[in-house]
Amino acid sequence: MTGDSLATEAHGRVLVATLNRPAKSNALNQDLITALDEVADRVLADDAASWGALVLTGAGDRAFSAGADIGELDGIGGDAARRQMHRGQQVFGRLEALPVVVIAAINGVALGGGLELAMAADIRIAAPSARLGQPEITLANLPGWGGTQRLPRLVGRGVATELILAGDLVDAARARELGLVNQVCADPLGAAIELGGRIAARSPVAVRGAKAAIAAGLDRGMAAGLAAEADAVAACCETSTQRQAIRAFLGRHS
């Protein structure tokens, strides 16, 4: 069970997980991190046909998530901080590695750990009013749940370094220009559910293989990515879905 801090709702084969601490701007405490881990368990444990997409969003219209719950950092020592960072990194990594598409519907601010969670998604859709950033430096700290690694991969080293070291926020339009978000629209949740539904209708073997190939290339270099790509195509070619799609295509164009 995810508990009160995270609400889940099914929209067909799209599972929507809503960070549910609106009074705290959906700040990520350890209970919420655990709830996100349980969502990953649910996607992996349920029948493979149950879910084709996971959408992450925040309750209310002010915040996707304002970041880590600062109260849990008050007076924390180095060893405890390291454990807390490793825990968040592990959970966000599990979400990123899910075999289904993960979409962040950014309905308000996505700051610090909130942006790090959004960056663990495959696709980000933001409301026009959204603001995004890694302001940890203003608290004499730095991103610890993957921000120093995922942000440069999305926007490039120079821009990421500026955002992390200055702690500045960007609006949704600028985030779109930088490649930090894919779309800006008035209804990010609706758009995320619609896109998730379209992707969920695709071959799960192809979706899983494409995600794995993209990740392999980014994490281990092009040679590893190309090898993963070839393996994924081979797996697709063993499925009846792919064979039927090819025959249907040829029949339409013969």
Side-chain angles (χ1 to χ4, degrees), residues 21-251:
R21 303 184 71 208
K24 295 285 189 180
S25 297
N26 301 320
L28 295 162
N29 61 7
Q30 290 305 299
D31 286 344
L32 192 43
I33 294 293
T34 296
L36 287 166
D37 201 23
E38 291 172 356
V39 165
D41 286 339
R42 178 177 175 183
V43 172
L44 292 170
D46 286 353
D47 186 285
S50 296
W51 307 117
L54 172 64
V55 171
L56 303 172
T57 194
D61 58 6
R62 289 194 307 137
F64 173 78
S65 173
D69 192 323
I70 301 301
E72 292 189 339
L73 295 173
D74 186 21
I76 194 171
D79 289 341
R82 186 177 292 106
R83 288 192 297 271
Q84 193 177 116
M85 295 308 102
H86 285 164
R87 173 64 172 156
Q89 290 169 1
Q90 175 196 33
V91 172
F92 290 6
R94 290 193 72 209
L95 292 168
E96 184 176 45
L98 286 173
V100 303
V101 67
V102 182
I103 305 173
I106 304 172
N107 50 303
V109 296
L111 308 179
L115 179 55
E116 289 172 297
L117 174 60
M119 290 191 295
D122 300 299
I123 297 167
R124 284 153 295 283
I125 302 175
S129 60
R131 292 180 299 139
L132 303 87
Q134 300 284 179
E136 290 92 340
I137 200 78
T138 65
L139 296 176
N141 215 319
L142 67 149
W145 286 338
T148 64
Q149 303 306 303
R150 291 190 178 95
L151 189 57
R153 286 168 168 78
L154 288 169
V155 304
R157 180 173 179 170
V159 173
T161 301
E162 179 182 351
L163 291 175
I164 290 169
L165 297 188
D168 294 335
L169 309 186
V170 296
D171 62 20
R174 178 59 174 154
R176 176 68 182 86
E177 291 174 0
L178 294 172
L180 184 53
V181 301
N182 298 67
Q183 300 178 36
V184 178
C185 66
D187 181 14
L189 179 57
I193 292 171
E194 188 277 332
L195 177 58
R198 284 196 286 122
I199 295 173
R202 307 301 187 190
S203 161
V205 176
V207 170
R208 179 171 64 247
K211 283 193 58 170
I214 291 167
L218 287 172
D219 294 341
R220 304 196 304 276
M222 183 173 284
L226 291 172
E229 182 179 274
D231 289 344
V233 171
C236 288
C237 290
E238 294 293 329
T239 66
S240 60
T241 303
Q242 190 267 359
R243 291 169 183 153
Q244 291 166 6
I246 292 294
R247 289 167 188 157
F249 177 86
L250 293 174

